[in-house]
Amino acid sequence: MGDEIFVTAANQTGELHDPTAHAEVMAIRKLGQHLQKTDLSGFTLYTTCEPCPMCMGAAIWAKVDAIFFGSDIATISKYMNQIDLTAESINQKSFHQPEIKGGVLSDLTEDLLKMYS
């Protein structure tokens, strides 16, 4: 494992009529299926938006090593409903604490949020 992309995913809540089908959860599901395991140690999750509590919980349960995101919860909230809990605040109370890096390409990710909201 190195710098390869193993899976990609997009938000499918509308298409699947499933409120849990966020991109992060879909990526974790796809990778778990691909590897046939639930421990995703050694992997990094890259995502447009700061993970919501559900997605952050899924990443913690999957034991991903790191999460890199673009737009933070405050920015996302301008364009769609959000639960005001940051990934870092969830991480601090967790049994597994992946590295979290926000603000990656944040101008671009906010442009995407504007375009699709």
Side-chain angles (χ1 to χ4, degrees), residues 7-117:
V7 299
T8 60
N11 185 314
Q12 294 184 289
T13 56
E15 300 109 87
L16 298 177
H17 308 287
D18 178 354
T20 69
H22 292 192
E24 298 88 346
V25 171
M26 299 305 289
I28 289 167
R29 288 175 183 168
K30 285 172 75 173
L31 184 58
Q33 283 291 335
H34 175 75
L35 299 174
Q36 291 294 288
K37 63 183 196 171
T38 58
D39 185 336
L40 303 182
S41 299
F43 289 90
T44 299
L45 176 65
Y46 294 88
T47 180
T48 305
C49 298
E50 181 172 4
C52 73
M54 175 185 67
C55 294
M56 189 63 193
I60 289 167
W61 283 108
K63 298 181 183 158
V64 298
D65 286 352
I67 300 165
F68 290 23
F69 65 85
S71 294
D72 61 16
I73 294 290
T75 302
I76 303 162
S77 294
K78 294 189 246 176
Y79 305 100
M80 63 183 73
N81 294 330
Q82 283 298 305
I83 298 171
D84 191 15
L85 288 172
T86 65
E88 190 58 48
S89 68
I90 296 165
N91 208 29
Q92 289 173 356
K93 298 177 182 184
S94 171
F95 68 92
H96 172 75
Q97 297 176 333
E99 173 189 357
I100 298 173
K101 171 74 173 139
V104 178
L105 301 172
S106 59
D107 291 341
L108 175 63
T109 59
E110 185 169 3
D111 287 345
L112 290 170
L113 285 167
K114 288 177 191 174
M115 190 177 351
Y116 292 104
S117 64

